[in-house]
Amino acid sequence: MATQLMYLEDFGVVACDAAVVEIKDAEDGRTVIILDRTCFYPRGGGQDWDTGSIRSDVALFNISEVRLDELGVVQHIGSFESGTFEPGDSVQCRVDEARRNTNTRLHSAGHVIDMALSEVAPDWIPGRGGHYPHMSFVEYAVPDGTVVAEGLVQTIQDTVDGLLGSAYQNKLMFVSKDQMPKYCRHVPENVPSNKPSRIVLYADDFGIPCGGTHVRQTADIGQVTVTKIKVKQGLAKVSYVVAGIN
C-alpha cells in the first residue's frame, strides 16, 4: 500500500502521528522503516530529503535518508538510537525543521525564477533543476542560436525582486495530468505516477506541476540573487543563491 504523503497536503507540516507497517534491513546495514503515512519529504525533483526522527514510548529512530519507491512507498532509512519498533506500533514523526526550511526556500526560489522567465523569455521551456545549498539552478530548453544578451541577468533579477516583493500567497491543488494545462504554462511528459498528481499555484495564476515542499508565501523565501546564465547545446542554465543559505 502506498504511503500517505502528508507534506503534499500542507505547506508547513513537520510532525505527525503514524503507524509502523514494516521494519527491514537496508543493503548497507542501516534499517528501513515503512509507515502508513509520513511528513518526511523523500529526495526527488531536484530537492533533497528530510531528516529527523521517529519515536515511540520505548524507541527512538534517527532518519538519515528518505526515499520514495516506484510503488509510492516511502522508505525511512537510518538507525535506532534506542529500543526498536514492531509492526502496528503507534509512533510520532518529527522533521528537522532547519533542514526542511533550507530545502523549501531553495526549491521555491527556483520556481520564482521560472515565473520571472515566463515574462522575460516566454519561449524558454523549463526543464530540470537543482535546489541544493552547494548548487542551485534551473535549466531551460532554448531556441537555436540563443545567446545571453547584455543585461539579461539584471532584467531577470529585477523581475524576481518584484515577484518576491509582492508576497504572493501560494495554493495547493490536486488535479489530473489532463487538467494541468489549464493552470500550468508547461507540463512535463514525465509527471510521476507513484504519488498524487498535484500543482502549486504561485500568485494565483502561475501553476507548477510539483510534488516538492514550498513556502506558503513568496516573501518567506528571502533575497534571491541570479548569479549567472550559461547557454550550451540548446540549454540555458540559470544559477542562483538565496540569502543566508548559499
Side-chain angles (χ1 to χ4, degrees):
M1 180 185 299
T3 308
Q4 180 184 354
L5 307 178
M6 300 186 68
Y7 61 83
L8 288 180
E9 305 166 13
D10 184 338
F11 282 109
V13 63
V14 292
C16 72
D17 294 330
V20 176
V21 174
E22 184 181 359
I23 306 164
K24 58 185 180 180
D25 294 331
E27 294 181 358
D28 59 5
R30 292 181 294 173
T31 300
V32 178
I33 306 296
I34 307 298
L35 305 173
D36 63 338
R37 61 180 184 166
T38 189
C39 54
F40 294 100
Y41 180 76
R43 186 171 186 170
Q47 179 180 337
D48 217 346
W49 57 65
D50 284 331
T51 58
S53 64
I54 306 171
R55 67 173 63 240
S56 69
D57 292 338
V58 298
L60 173 60
F61 183 83
N62 294 317
I63 296 172
S64 55
E65 185 175 344
V66 187
R67 295 285 188 180
L68 179 68
D69 71 18
E70 65 278 1
L71 299 177
V73 176
V74 174
Q75 300 182 357
H76 307 84
I77 306 167
S79 58
F80 282 99
E81 181 174 320
S82 61
T84 190
F85 301 142
E86 298 291 340
D89 282 356
S90 296
V91 294
Q92 296 79 48
C93 303
R94 170 66 66 175
V95 171
D96 180 328
E97 293 187 54
R99 179 181 172 93
R100 163 71 72 81
N101 185 55
T102 291
N103 292 339
T104 298
R105 289 173 61 205
L106 288 170
H107 179 201
S108 300
H111 288 310
V112 172
I113 289 175
D114 192 31
M115 292 173 67
L117 264 296
S118 72
E119 298 180 22
V120 174
D123 55 346
W124 289 21
I125 300 173
R128 71 189 186 100
H131 314 293
Y132 306 103
H134 65 285
M135 176 187 64
S136 299
F137 69 90
V138 280
E139 200 169 72
Y140 299 86
V142 296
D144 291 343
T146 294
V147 297
V148 179
E150 183 178 356
L152 179 59
V153 169
Q154 188 60 53
T155 299
I156 297 171
Q157 183 67 60
D158 291 343
T159 308
V160 167
D161 291 344
L163 292 168
L164 293 173
S166 298
Y168 293 117
Q169 296 288 326
N170 301 329
K171 298 178 182 178
L172 306 175
M173 293 180 62
F174 291 89
V175 301
S176 68
K177 182 178 178 180
D178 291 342
Q179 293 175 307
M180 286 182 177
K182 292 169 57 178
Y183 306 96
C184 305
R185 178 170 75 98
H186 175 70
V187 179
E189 290 295 324
N190 59 338
V191 174
S193 60
N194 60 345
K195 56 186 173 182
S197 177
R198 187 192 73 171
I199 65 172
V200 184
L201 281 175
Y202 277 54
D204 290 330
D205 60 359
F206 188 82
I208 305 153
C210 187
T213 62
H214 299 256
V215 294
R216 193 179 303 274
Q217 65 174 17
T218 52
D220 294 337
I221 298 170
Q223 178 61 44
V224 177
T225 302
V226 179
T227 55
K228 63 181 178 180
I229 303 174
K230 183 178 181 179
V231 177
K232 183 178 180 180
Q233 297 180 339
L235 294 175
K237 185 176 183 179
V238 182
S239 299
Y240 65 93
V241 296
V242 175
I245 297 177
N246 303 86

